[in-house]
């Protein structure tokens, strides 16, 4: 059983930064891409960023481009999301996800939750004003 485990969330003030981490627990697995999403109360799950394991291609939602940075450490099999200049509207549960089925995600980006087949339990990020 593969599980993704996120960490690094917390309560911060507007303008602060956070780094979220995501790593698989259980058996190892291969994926084409890893993505980060978030979901605020009463809202749909929102795509934030994606990175390909091979090639390191990155894709961002326009809403976070320039503030959030996705990166990976292949040796540690870990993906990170650096959150800068946080705003109260960034408050949400942040999820990482893995795509093991759609190779095209690596080259063209995948932005929809159904394109990812493994998910973490989420980590809460709360930004106070």
């Amino acid at each position: 059983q593969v599980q993704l485990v996120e960490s690094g969330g917390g309560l911060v003030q507007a303008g602060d930064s956070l780094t979220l981490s995501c790593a698989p627990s259980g058996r190892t697995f291969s994926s084409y891409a890893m993505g980060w999403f978030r979901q605020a109360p009463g809202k749909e799950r929102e795509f934030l960023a994606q990175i390909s394991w091979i090639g390191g291609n990155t894709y961002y939602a326009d809403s976070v481009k320039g503030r959030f940075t996705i990166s990976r450490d292949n040796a540690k099999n870990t993906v990170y999301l650096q959150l800068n200049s946080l705003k109260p509207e960034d408050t949400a549960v942040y999820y990482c996800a893995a795509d093991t089925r759609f190779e095209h995600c690596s080259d063209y980006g995948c932005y929809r939750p159904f394109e990812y087949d493994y998910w973490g339990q989420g980590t809460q990020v709360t930004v106070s004003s």
Side-chain angles (χ1 to χ4, degrees):
Q1 181 73 17
V2 174
Q3 286 185 317
L4 299 177
V5 181
E6 303 99 335
S7 61
L11 173 62
V12 297
Q13 293 187 332
D16 285 352
S17 298
L18 276 176
T19 300
L20 307 182
S21 301
C22 172
S25 66
R27 65 175 177 87
T28 58
F29 73 106
S30 297
S31 66
Y32 293 110
M34 298 288 292
W36 283 96
F37 291 74
R38 69 184 178 190
Q39 189 165 19
K43 295 189 176 181
E44 293 186 352
R45 194 162 294 192
E46 175 191 12
F47 169 82
L48 300 175
Q50 181 215 299
I51 189 165
S52 307
W53 279 115
I54 299 176
N57 300 335
T58 57
Y59 307 88
Y60 293 94
D62 289 341
S63 60
V64 302
K65 197 175 295 183
R67 290 197 303 128
F68 292 3
T69 302
I70 190 170
S71 61
R72 76 196 195 288
D73 184 329
N74 290 41
K76 295 182 179 179
N77 208 21
T78 298
V79 175
Y80 305 95
L81 187 67
Q82 174 73 32
L83 316 176
N84 293 328
S85 302
L86 282 163
K87 306 173 183 179
E89 51 263 44
D90 293 318
T91 295
V93 179
Y94 284 68
Y95 298 91
C96 72
D99 155 50
T100 68
R101 300 171 298 173
F102 302 119
E103 188 174 359
H104 70 268
C105 292
S106 180
D107 295 327
Y108 301 106
C110 283
Y111 308 92
R112 295 167 292 186
F114 79 84
E115 292 172 305
Y116 296 82
D117 47 333
Y118 290 98
W119 291 83
Q121 81 290 349
T123 185
Q124 177 70 46
V125 173
T126 302
V127 184
S128 64
S129 57

